Amino acid sequence: HGIVRGNARAPYNLRKPFDKNDPRMQFVVEKPDYRIHFGLNCSAKSCPPVRVLSAEHLEEELQILAVSFCEDDSNVRIDAQTRQLHVSMIFYWYLVDFTNRGLQSLPKLLAKKFLAGVKQQKLVRLLETKERMKVELFEYDWTANAPDAPVFDVECLRANRSAMLLSRRGSHVATSSELAETVRA
């Protein structure tokens, strides 16, 4: 938030990350790129997948990440019948990064910058009618976005911790692969 968001407050924080005398202020991006939210995130299921970005292709990579996130109906969905645009909470939390004209300006931004093909055409047609469109927010899923992450059982972890402590007291220190195997068992 301090460096890549131009020292902007994080959602639900009361102050900016750096004060004016903080030495990190020299690294603060002057004009933040709102597409950064599609490349750097907390790795929850409702976040875009975490990717490694390259300096030489950063522009293209950020655009691809933004478009692919918005093309997924679980992040941006258009209901033409009810004139509703359903969007990820990311757009709400970081609205100031995307637009300074409020949530109602989001449909136009999405149509212009992040949608393509049929989905873009659908939203453009709705915008052309000049009738008010309701913007709804998807519930955010905070569970980890790691498909192969082990599901831990508290009792199993307690037993494994005891086994790990016992093996440290002896001559053998358990390796990480041995501990992982114990957790799987």
Side-chain angles (χ1 to χ4, degrees):
H1 298 285
I3 294 174
V4 298
R5 290 191 59 234
N7 200 32
R9 270 187 329 102
Y12 307 108
N13 280 11
L14 298 175
R15 23 177 247 190
K16 293 181 176 188
F18 310 144
D19 66 32
K20 63 182 179 184
N21 298 321
D22 192 305
R24 295 172 291 181
M25 284 296 290
Q26 66 182 317
F27 302 112
V28 169
V29 173
E30 286 183 41
K31 187 174 184 231
D33 187 330
Y34 48 77
R35 297 174 303 172
I36 198 68
H37 297 291
F38 306 112
L40 297 177
N41 55 68
C42 69
S43 193
K45 280 198 178 176
S46 288
C47 280
V50 174
R51 300 280 190 241
V52 174
L53 302 173
S54 65
E56 57 271 6
H57 301 292
L58 186 61
E59 281 297 314
E60 296 85 3
E61 291 169 352
L62 285 174
Q63 190 60 28
I64 290 167
L65 290 172
V67 170
S68 62
F69 180 80
C70 294
E71 284 294 320
D72 184 336
D73 280 344
S74 62
N75 301 317
V76 175
R77 189 181 63 207
I78 303 160
D79 187 337
Q81 304 302 95
T82 61
R83 298 193 55 75
Q84 290 183 340
L85 173 67
H86 301 265
V87 297
S88 166
M89 285 294 287
I90 291 171
F91 292 105
Y92 177 71
W93 289 326
Y94 299 103
L95 186 62
V96 68
D97 293 358
F98 290 98
T99 177
N100 59 1
R101 290 179 284 174
L103 209 51
Q104 282 308 124
S105 65
L106 202 52
K108 193 178 271 186
L109 174 78
L110 289 172
K112 184 177 179 183
K113 302 275 187 181
F114 300 133
L115 297 179
V118 174
K119 198 170 193 178
Q120 181 187 41
Q121 292 168 4
K122 189 178 188 180
L123 186 54
V124 167
R125 277 194 299 274
L126 286 173
L127 289 167
E128 286 172 346
T129 66
K130 306 267 192 242
E131 292 177 43
R132 186 168 172 86
M133 186 180 309
K134 188 170 184 178
V135 178
E136 295 285 331
L137 302 168
F138 285 121
E139 191 171 316
Y140 205 78
D141 185 348
W142 286 102
T143 55
N145 187 7
D148 298 328
V151 177
F152 294 112
D153 174 5
V154 175
E155 292 306 315
C156 177
L157 289 175
R158 285 186 186 130
N160 287 329
R161 184 160 194 263
S162 298
M164 182 177 72
L165 290 172
L166 288 173
S167 56
R168 282 191 181 157
R169 288 190 185 124
S171 60
H172 176 72
V173 175
T175 66
S176 59
S177 59
E178 289 171 332
L179 289 173
E181 188 58 39
T182 305
V183 170
R184 280 193 285 276

